[in-house]
Amino acid sequence: MIKSDISNYVVSSRIRLARNLVKYPFPNKLGFEGGMRIIKEISTPLTKYLDSNLLLLKNMKPLEIEALKEKHLISNALSENVNTGGVVLNKDSTLSVMINEEDHARIQVIKKALDLESAYEFADKVDDLISENSEVAFDVHLGYLSSCPTNLGTAMRASVMMFLPALAINRTINNVIFSISKDAIALRGVYGEGTQAEGYMYQLSNQYSLGLSEKEIINTVNNQIYKVAEAEEIARATLLSKNRVELTDMVMRAWGILTNAYKIDSAEFMQNISLIKLGAALNILNIKNTALDEIIVACRPANLTLRYGKDLNAQERDICRAEFLRDVLIKLM
Amino acid sequence: MIKSDISNYVVSSRIRLARNLVKYPFPNKLGFEGGMRIIKEISTPLTKYLDSNLLLLKNMKPLEIEALKEKHLISNALSENVNTGGVVLNKDSTLSVMINEEDHARIQVIKKALDLESAYEFADKVDDLISENSEVAFDVHLGYLSSCPTNLGTAMRASVMMFLPALAINRTINNVIFSISKDAIALRGVYGEGTQAEGYMYQLSNQYSLGLSEKEIINTVNNQIYKVAEAEEIARATLLSKNRVELTDMVMRAWGILTNAYKIDSAEFMQNISLIKLGAALNILNIKNTALDEIIVACRPANLTLRYGKDLNAQERDICRAEFLRDVLIKLM
């Protein structure tokens, strides 16, 4: 059992449901007309009954598409489908329904901290709105039909973003990943399989969705989350007791750089903000750390450029990033 | 002609007079008894007529001797004469009379910014107090007799500490040193001949004291100071116009490090405080920079240890230095 709140380890929870409509082929076989009809059929009940908007990629600037990707509201795959890709977003961006990605509809609900249950509840409601309006492909034996076989069954992926700095620093994260993977649960760096975890962020999710109910999947994932959180809690305590002076120095210098630099690039920013998140988690820095993940997204190139409202070259972007950070970080104190 | 105030280039002015008493051999030939008699003879009129105190090295802790050396109030040579070395210091440490260094008496007066004239005036008054009490070795042809022949004549060295970051950074300082040295004036890094200038600080002084009056020496040194200052002024303007973004970033990061680090060693401290001095000189940082040189002295190992009042190991000293800096720098804003 962990002693501190689970929100010290779990940043956000996400439920994703894949759905396909019976009367259309999978998106990779669809033409423009078919793609548009699917967008209309799926988005109509959503924008009618939920406080949400439909965005068509063909009407968006590349920078705006990139900004949605940086916010994890759309996937790489969707961003590449600039002809027939679409997304329905609600006002607070907790809901994103990607249309004509790998499947006709990918319902994604994101909640802060650990809350897969309520994320599922909302996703299920969105699923109902779609099913009431269209016939969704479903097989009694295989469950929901999807373009990728790993998504058969519930076609649900339950995932959480975990902040695991101590396990990353003491290099035991790979042992944890190995022990978790035996349970049909995957733990990986945030930017997908094989990539290095950026900012000590890891995604834990179910590997398969066939043969288990939604509730069972969520329970299995939750159990693993607590195991990983416990390992991280122990690792943090050890790290702090063995390296308090060095850690304090590193964290405080990172704060000094981010609140003073005149220009800073993405890589150095991520390195330092990760140390600040670590410092906040270890109570070395007494700041409100809930905003740090939003600051990370705001500092990504496309979001930063949109914020400053004009084209920026690399050096201008680094200067704007530093200016934004000096302004926003000081308010966390 | 320079456009800005000379105090942007000259940190302090120093006059040093070497004096020896007729009836004693030079210090290297003196025993303990002779050394003590000289201390008494030289210090008595000084402590009587000036608001000053005599310190005997044999009664001091090594740390206290080291702290005086760090403040440039005593020389390396004096600090090594722990048997018969002594120093008379006035209250504000503008006067330091070293006794039994290379000569029987070395009168040293330090003034802020460029003010060799008033430094000489004070040193001359101290010289009078010594001469009225003892017979000082003087030859009509050779002037004041001293243990080193380069000090014959007036036995005076007029020197100033110059802050020359732009000439150091654009690597033209060596050209300036070369052109100056032809005029019997030396320009060198602060910690003596051949050593690298620490913190962009250079000492400009006359090379010889024979054949010129005190006033002539001071005039010659003053003329050279203005030439060097002009070269530095031009170099600063060029540096700023060509590298404003990089310089601003370097200076602001240095400020971030020094006002946030949890521990910092001497070398990294000097590197960063030098950048801050540069930033203040170039108006990148809007701080009162007059205190920076005092902060540099306060951060040297012995002075820092004395301030904290207990023995410190290297790591503790680095932590105390950082704590002191966080406290003192913020007050300059």
Side-chain angles (χ1 to χ4, degrees), chain A residues 249 252-253 262-263 268, chain B residues 249 253 260 262-263 268:
Chain A
D249 190 46
M252 288 174 75
R253 281 163 181 262
Y262 182 67
K263 65 186 172 84
E268 196 195 354
Chain B
D249 189 47
R253 282 162 181 261
N260 285 280
Y262 182 68
K263 66 186 172 85
E268 195 195 355

Side-chain angles (χ1 to χ4, degrees), chain A residues 291-310:
Chain A
L292 292 174
D293 290 299
E294 283 162 38
I295 289 171
I296 290 174
V297 170
C299 280
R300 299 227 156 95
N303 278 282
L304 201 63
T305 304
L306 283 180
R307 173 179 295 269
Y308 280 83
K310 56 172 183 174

Side-chain angles (χ1 to χ4, degrees), chain A residues 30 82 100 104 117 132 141 172 174 180 196 205 210 222:
Chain A
L30 267 176
V82 286
N100 295 327
H104 292 153
E117 290 81 359
E132 283 158 16
H141 299 292
T172 56
N174 287 330
I180 288 292
Q196 199 172 350
S205 61
L210 186 64
N222 275 344

Side-chain angles (χ1 to χ4, degrees), chain A residues 244-246 248-250 252-253 255-257 259-265 268 272 315 319 326, chain B residues 244-246 248-250 252-253 255-257 259-265 268 272 315 319 326:
Chain A
R244 183 176 286 274
V245 168
E246 281 69 25
T248 303
D249 190 46
M250 284 167 70
M252 288 174 75
R253 281 163 181 262
W255 181 261
I257 294 293
T259 54
N260 285 279
Y262 182 67
K263 65 186 172 84
I264 192 159
D265 66 23
E268 196 195 354
N272 284 297
Q315 170 159 304
I319 292 174
R326 290 197 305 275
Chain B
R244 183 176 285 276
V245 167
E246 281 69 23
T248 304
D249 189 47
M250 283 167 70
M252 289 174 74
R253 282 162 181 261
W255 181 262
I257 293 292
T259 54
N260 285 280
Y262 182 68
K263 66 186 172 85
I264 192 159
D265 65 24
E268 195 195 355
N272 284 297
Q315 169 158 305
I319 292 174
R326 291 197 305 274

Side-chain angles (χ1 to χ4, degrees), chain B residues 181-303:
Chain B
S181 65
K182 288 184 285 190
D183 239 337
I185 300 286
L187 183 67
R188 56 173 86 85
V190 154
Y191 289 104
E193 295 151 58
T195 60
Q196 199 174 350
E198 201 172 69
Y200 308 128
M201 295 286 270
Y202 293 82
Q203 191 186 61
L204 189 148
S205 61
N206 61 312
Q207 288 279 58
Y208 305 105
S209 50
L210 186 64
L212 287 170
S213 71
E214 286 85 354
K215 199 142 192 94
E216 285 168 332
I217 291 172
I218 288 173
N219 283 342
T220 310
V221 170
N222 274 343
N223 286 339
Q224 295 302 325
I225 288 166
Y226 276 93
K227 281 188 194 166
V228 175
E230 197 178 345
E232 170 69 17
E233 184 168 74
I234 293 165
R236 285 187 192 177
T238 309
L239 193 64
L240 201 51
S241 73
K242 283 190 183 164
N243 310 90
R244 183 176 285 276
V245 167
E246 281 69 23
L247 275 173
T248 304
D249 189 47
M250 283 167 70
V251 167
M252 289 174 74
R253 282 162 181 261
W255 181 262
I257 293 292
L258 291 191
T259 54
N260 285 280
Y262 182 68
K263 66 186 172 85
I264 192 159
D265 65 24
S266 275
E268 195 195 355
F269 161 68
M270 274 312 299
Q271 192 182 325
N272 284 297
I273 197 89
S274 301
L275 283 169
I276 285 173
K277 285 181 66 176
L278 174 62
L282 297 177
N283 289 317
I284 291 171
L285 273 183
N286 187 18
I287 58 166
K288 308 179 206 97
N289 65 344
T290 48
L292 293 174
D293 290 298
E294 284 162 38
I295 289 171
I296 289 174
V297 170
C299 280
R300 298 226 155 92
N303 278 282

